[in-house]
C-alpha cells in the first residue's frame, strides 16, 4: 500500500479490503512456493536415508509436501481472521477452496519431482530457486489486480499459476468466474504435467540419486 501511494507499485482496482485480496491469493501461492522449495531439497536432505535404506524416493518427495500443507492451513487460519476482522462475508464457494487448490499441489509436486533429481547433481538449483520464486511472484498478479494491457497482461494470459490461483479467489470473494476456460485448461495441463514428471522420475530416480 505504501508503494502504491508512492506511485512505485500499483495494485489496481480492488473492490474489497486489500489484506483479504492479498492473503486469499497468498494461501494458494504459499502452497506452491513452499511445496516446490521443500520437494526440491527433499532428496538431498534425506541423503543418508536414501543411501542406507531401500526406500521409495517418490515417497520422500511426496512426504515433503507436508510442510506446504501446514503452511496452507496457517494461511487459511489468517484468512478466516481477516474475514472476521473486516466483517467480510465470503461466498459459499470458500468451502471449495481446499479442493480447488489440488491442481496447485500437483503442479508444485510435479516440478519438485524434476528439480529434486536435478538438485542431486547441481546443488545450485535450490540456492537459486528462492530468487526465481520472487521474480515469479512479481510477474503473477497475486498481490495486485491483473492488468488489461502491457507485457505482464500477455504473460498472465499464459500463466498457469495465475489461472489456478485467481479463479478460486474470485469465486470465494465474488461468486463469479470470469475466466473459467483458462482455469480448466490450467487444471488439465497441471494434471498432464504431473503424470509425465512422475514417469520421468520413475525412470531416473535410481541413477541420479546414486550421485548424492
Amino acid at each position: 500500500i505504501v508503494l502504491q501511494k508512492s506511485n512505485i507499485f500499483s495494485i489496481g482496482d480492488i473492490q474489497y479490503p486489500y489484506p483479504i485480496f492479498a492473503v486469499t491469493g497468498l494461501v494458494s501461492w504459499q502452497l506452491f512456493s513452499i511445496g516446490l522449495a521443500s520437494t526440491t531439497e527433499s532428496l538431498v536432505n534425506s541423503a543418508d536415508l536414501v543411501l542406507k535404506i531401500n526406500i521409495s524416493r517418490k515417497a520422500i518427495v511426496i512426504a515433503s509436501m507436508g510442510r506446504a500443507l501446514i503452511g496452507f492451513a496457517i494461511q487459511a487460519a489468517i484468512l478466516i481472521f481477516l474475514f472476521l476482522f473486516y466483517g467480510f462475508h465470503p461466498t459459499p464457494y470458500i468451502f471449495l477452496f481446499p479442493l480447488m487448490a489440488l491442481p496447485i499441489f500437483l503442479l508444485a509436486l510435479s516440478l519438485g519431482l524434476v528439480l529434486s533429481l536435478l538438485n542431486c547433481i547441481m546443488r545450485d538449483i535450490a540456492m537459486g530457486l528462492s530468487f526465481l520464486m520472487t521474480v515469479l511472484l512479481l510477474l503473477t498478479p497475486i498481490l495486485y489486480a491483473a492488468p488489461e494491457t502491457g507485457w505482464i497482461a500477455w504473460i498472465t494470459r499464459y500463466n498457469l499459476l495465475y489461472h489456478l490461483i485467481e479463479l478460486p479467489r474470485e469465486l470465494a470473494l465474488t461468486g463469479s468466474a470470469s475466466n473459467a476456460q483458462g482455469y480448466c485448461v490450467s487444471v488439465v495441463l497441471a494434471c498432464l504435467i504431473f503424470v509425465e514428471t512422475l514417469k520421468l522420475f520413475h525412470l531416473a530416480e535410481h541413477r541420479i540419486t546414486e550421485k548424492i
Side-chain angles (χ1 to χ4, degrees):
I1 295 176
V2 174
L3 292 177
Q4 178 177 243
K5 291 180 178 179
S6 303
N7 294 322
I8 298 175
F9 178 75
S10 176
I11 62 174
D13 185 18
I14 306 297
Q15 304 298 324
Y16 14 78
Y18 178 73
I20 289 179
F21 172 83
V23 174
T24 308
L26 286 174
V27 169
S28 300
W29 171 262
Q30 292 285 69
L31 176 64
F32 176 79
S33 61
I34 295 176
L36 186 56
S38 300
T39 51
T40 297
E41 299 188 54
S42 59
L43 293 179
V44 171
N45 290 342
S46 304
D48 292 339
L49 188 64
V50 170
L51 295 175
K52 295 178 181 179
I53 303 176
N54 186 19
I55 188 173
S56 171
R57 278 72 168 172
K58 296 185 192 69
I60 293 176
V61 178
I62 294 173
S64 66
M65 285 295 295
R67 180 183 166 194
L69 293 177
I70 294 174
F72 182 83
I74 293 173
Q75 290 284 339
I78 295 174
L79 183 60
I80 293 172
F81 170 78
L82 290 175
F83 285 148
L84 295 174
F85 180 80
Y86 285 98
F88 185 89
H89 299 285
T91 71
Y93 289 107
I94 192 70
F95 296 106
L96 295 178
F97 211 85
L99 179 62
M100 299 185 76
L102 182 59
I104 300 175
F105 179 93
L106 291 179
L107 184 60
L109 180 56
S110 301
L111 299 178
L113 285 169
V114 175
L115 292 180
S116 65
L117 293 176
L118 294 178
N119 193 46
C120 294
I121 304 172
M122 300 175 289
R123 304 297 171 86
D124 292 341
I125 288 180
M127 296 174 60
L129 186 60
S130 177
F131 172 76
L132 292 176
M133 294 304 297
T134 300
V135 173
L136 184 58
L137 176 61
L138 294 175
L139 293 177
T140 305
I142 295 173
L143 299 177
Y144 57 92
E148 297 182 359
T149 59
W151 60 276
I152 292 184
W154 183 84
I155 293 175
T156 299
R157 194 176 300 118
Y158 302 100
N159 189 334
L160 267 67
L161 265 180
Y162 168 73
H163 295 297
L164 294 176
I165 291 174
E166 179 58 24
L167 186 132
R169 172 166 63 183
E170 190 178 14
L171 282 175
L173 299 183
T174 68
S176 62
S178 59
N179 192 9
Q181 181 180 3
Y183 176 79
C184 292
V185 170
S186 298
V187 169
V188 171
L189 289 176
C191 293
L192 290 176
I193 292 171
F194 174 70
V195 172
E196 293 305 315
T197 53
L198 195 62
K199 292 178 181 177
L200 176 63
F201 188 92
H202 179 73
L203 293 174
E205 58 179 319
H206 292 289
R207 293 181 181 178
I208 294 182
T209 49
E210 292 175 355
K211 301 182 181 294
I212 296 179

